[in-house]
Amino acid sequence: MTMASTYLPSWLHLPNMAGLRRIYNHPVTLGTAILAYVGLSTAWFLIKDYYSYYVVLPADTRGTLSRRPSVYFWSGSVRLVRAIRGLDGTDARPIRRFAEESTDAIYKRSFLQPGGLKERRPPRPELLMQGIPHRQIPQVLDKNLSEALEERYRTLAKQYQQLSIGPSRIEPNALALFYTSPAPPATVHPDIAAEPTSPMIEFAHIHHSDNSQHIVLAPLDAAVAIEKGWAVRFPLAGGGGVAGQEGRVMVYAPRDDTEIDVVGMLAERGVQWVMSDAV
């Protein structure tokens, strides 16, 4: 009886015991070893990525944008590159390098007082994944802290005339701050110019799944927040476009009332950055 596999190309045939012995005894070249390592590493990465996104992360907390196949594919590519390079978002040197090399004077600005941001008590939270959606582990879901953090957003919306507050347009179950961009011919902030044409610019939001925040800060302020342990760089930061601002970070969830003051202050520095006049 003829086996079905005989109709397949030889390279698709399953090896028999003799074939397995030949593979075992055959010397392996360096190139073959590298390809095998890359293949196995990629397969393991994809399995972990699938598990993290579709098993661990509840559907109602996955980012709205990351649900799109094209965005998830792009994010997955970023995650793979970052995993291979060992990047975890805690290195602020690329941001500082950008600020130093930029010819635009606005990127030399800082809204944090010198020495005004103390070191965050370790440890840093772990990240569910290196791409989007961007979430921390463990989750910090204390009701009082959640309400206090949201109250900071409401206070900012009342304090600044051009700010408004409401449900996020980017993330499910998130409370966002929106900035109304000035109409032309007013000069436009470069980080606002990267946003969609809508005058309502979402530059900060609180994830109700873990109480972390995504905030667009001045690059130099983002670098300090990362170095002091309060934030991690957004995976797509520096890539341009809607979510690629150099200073986009995830600020870790507050663990007590003292940390509420700090993360609330960082949100206000984001307000000051986005509302600052272009030069």
Side-chain angles (χ1 to χ4, degrees):
M1 180 170 126
T2 304
M3 298 295 293
S5 62
T6 59
Y7 297 102
L8 298 174
S10 60
W11 57 274
L12 280 178
H13 292 179
L14 291 174
N16 53 26
M17 289 303 299
L20 289 174
R21 290 193 188 97
R22 284 196 299 272
I23 294 173
Y24 179 79
N25 294 322
H26 187 73
V28 177
T29 64
L30 177 61
T32 302
I34 292 175
L35 287 176
Y37 174 77
V38 171
L40 291 173
S41 298
T42 301
W44 177 241
F45 173 85
L46 293 175
I47 291 171
K48 289 177 61 180
D49 187 65
Y50 178 88
Y51 179 80
S52 297
Y53 189 76
Y54 288 103
V55 179
V56 175
L57 194 65
D60 61 352
T61 62
R62 297 174 197 158
T64 304
L65 289 176
S66 60
R67 292 176 182 176
R68 301 177 186 174
S70 59
V71 176
Y72 184 72
F73 175 78
W74 167 242
S75 174
S77 301
V78 171
R79 287 196 292 275
L80 180 58
V81 171
R82 291 176 66 88
I84 292 173
R85 296 182 60 190
L87 300 176
D88 61 0
T90 60
D91 187 352
R93 287 177 295 182
I95 307 176
R96 290 199 175 277
R97 189 159 52 245
F98 165 82
E100 291 171 1
E101 296 175 354
S102 177
T103 58
D104 194 333
I106 196 171
Y107 289 117
K108 312 293 183 183
R109 295 180 181 178
S110 174
F111 298 87
L112 287 171
Q113 296 295 327
L117 189 63
K118 62 182 181 180
E119 293 276 351
R120 180 182 181 274
R121 173 170 48 88
R124 286 180 183 264
E126 295 182 6
L127 299 181
L128 180 63
M129 53 178 63
Q130 293 295 335
I132 52 178
H134 205 207
R135 298 291 187 272
Q136 74 169 57
I137 306 172
Q139 298 172 333
V140 181
L141 295 175
D142 182 278
K143 181 180 179 181
N144 293 332
L145 294 178
S146 297
E147 292 176 352
L149 186 56
E150 290 181 6
E151 185 60 31
R152 292 284 179 150
Y153 271 42
R154 296 189 188 93
T155 300
L156 288 173
K158 294 176 182 177
Q159 184 177 352
Y160 294 89
Q161 185 177 1
Q162 287 181 284
L163 290 186
S164 58
I165 190 171
S168 170
R169 300 178 181 179
I170 301 173
E171 298 278 6
N173 301 322
L175 183 69
L177 281 174
F178 299 90
Y179 168 63
T180 304
S181 177
T187 55
V188 180
H189 191 287
D191 276 357
I192 291 177
E195 295 283 356
T197 55
S198 170
M200 298 296 291
I201 307 303
E202 180 176 337
F203 68 93
H205 54 240
I206 305 168
H207 303 125
H208 285 160
S209 60
D210 62 5
N211 272 355
S212 65
Q213 303 173 78
H214 277 147
I215 303 175
V216 179
L217 297 172
L220 290 176
D221 290 345
V224 173
I226 292 171
E227 291 164 349
K228 296 295 185 180
W230 291 97
V232 62
R233 196 180 190 198
F234 188 68
L236 304 182
V242 174
Q245 297 93 340
E246 288 287 344
R248 186 179 285 271
V249 296
M250 184 179 80
V251 176
Y252 300 129
R255 295 167 292 185
D256 52 43
D257 292 336
T258 301
E259 292 192 358
I260 284 286
D261 294 335
V262 177
V263 300
M265 179 269 292
L266 288 173
E268 184 169 11
R269 296 300 174 266
V271 170
Q272 294 171 350
W273 162 246
V274 174
M275 294 183 66
S276 61
D277 295 329
V279 292

